Amino acid sequence: MKSVLSTKVLSLSQKALLSDFKINLVEYDAISIEFIEFEITDEYKNYIFTSKNAVRAFLNKKKNTEINCFCVGEKTKALLDKNGYKVVKMTENAVDLADYITNNHTSTSFLFLAGNKRRNDLPSILTEKGISFKEIICYETLLIPKKFEQHFDAILFFSPSGMKSFVLENTIQDSELFCIGKTTAEEAKVYTANINIAKKPIIDEVINTLITFLK
């Protein structure tokens, strides 16, 4: 029987995808999110969101829907759509979004809402290309390290922060890693070459990639 660790507690429907396989599934939340106080003015009409958590923080502050949104990830876009916001562009990673902005919106100013552990890719590219933007940290990602005594055949990771949390108390050893996207996979390369990347950066696709491995 294969042992599998998920660094995020899965929903019942997500666990149901694995019901045909005899596995020992262990799950826990390797990180938690804490919203922090911030202020938004009406100065900016173009917003950048690289996570659902940034959108959630924003929704707690502002109800005006007369803005243009640029975002990373289908789930982020879906949350904006659901709340009546116009999404001008969605990409699957921050580098592609930064490239789109620098190629198509050189004279536009942006407000970038992010977490305290966001990667430097997007702001670095925007700065390098002379794009005007203001960054506001609207939530904190807290690591929740937990020690495991057992070895896992497979480990599911959903963010670079989740991986950093896991390795605070554990080692990767020869476990097969399943990553939600390229940025998480980049973090994984520090520890192992046993990396599998989901075809789309959503939890169900991470599970589908694991299923291929289990077969």
Side-chain angles (χ1 to χ4, degrees):
M1 181 179 291
K2 297 285 187 182
S3 59
V4 178
L5 175 68
S6 173
T7 56
K8 180 181 181 69
V9 175
L10 303 175
S11 68
L12 291 177
S13 62
Q14 288 161 353
K15 282 185 275 196
L17 296 173
L18 296 167
S19 60
D20 291 338
F21 300 90
K22 293 182 178 180
I23 63 171
N24 174 28
L25 176 65
V26 178
E27 52 185 344
Y28 81 115
D29 287 322
I31 61 173
S32 67
I33 300 301
E34 185 174 290
F35 296 124
I36 59 179
E37 282 299 316
F38 65 98
E39 295 298 327
I40 292 179
T41 67
D42 291 329
E43 176 184 357
Y44 290 90
K45 299 299 182 184
N46 300 281
Y47 284 65
I48 298 172
F49 301 96
T50 54
S51 72
K52 287 191 301 181
N53 291 316
V55 175
R56 292 190 181 107
F58 167 75
L59 292 174
N60 290 334
K61 285 289 182 180
K62 193 176 181 71
K63 299 304 179 185
N64 176 21
T65 58
E66 299 301 316
I67 62 171
N68 299 312
C69 300
F70 301 75
C71 70
V72 173
E74 292 181 5
K75 294 295 181 69
T76 306
K77 180 181 184 299
L79 186 56
L80 288 164
D81 288 339
K82 179 182 177 181
N83 285 275
Y85 290 92
K86 176 186 176 182
V87 177
V88 176
K89 182 66 176 180
M90 183 279 293
T91 64
E92 292 194 350
N93 61 71
V95 171
D96 286 348
L97 184 59
D99 288 343
Y100 171 81
I101 289 172
T102 58
N103 288 325
N104 296 278
H105 297 275
T106 54
S107 59
T108 305
S109 295
F110 293 87
L111 186 64
F112 174 32
L113 296 184
N116 66 318
K117 293 188 180 299
R118 64 105 177 103
R119 289 173 62 89
N120 292 325
D121 299 339
L122 185 141
S124 294
I125 293 172
L126 297 186
T127 299
E128 179 185 343
K129 299 296 185 180
I131 302 297
S132 173
F133 73 97
K134 177 182 179 181
E135 180 178 1
I136 293 179
I137 301 300
C138 58
Y139 69 92
E140 293 182 345
T141 301
L142 308 176
L143 306 187
I144 309 176
K146 180 177 181 179
K147 178 68 175 177
F148 293 95
E149 300 300 334
Q150 72 181 99
H151 170 268
F152 295 99
D153 296 299
I155 308 176
L156 314 183
F157 287 107
F158 305 95
S159 69
S161 295
M163 187 167 300
K164 290 175 181 176
S165 176
F166 175 80
V167 298
L168 284 175
E169 295 286 348
N170 307 277
T171 57
I172 298 294
Q173 300 179 32
D174 62 347
S175 300
E176 199 78 16
L177 305 192
F178 296 83
C179 300
I180 198 166
K182 293 180 181 179
T183 55
T184 304
E186 283 298 319
E187 183 69 25
K189 289 178 182 178
V190 176
Y191 309 102
T192 183
N194 301 332
I195 300 168
N196 304 269
I197 306 175
K199 291 181 179 179
K200 297 176 68 175
I202 56 176
I203 295 172
D204 285 8
E205 280 300 324
V206 177
I207 296 172
N208 287 334
T209 307
L210 170 65
I211 288 171
T212 300
F213 168 76
L214 294 174
K215 289 178 178 178

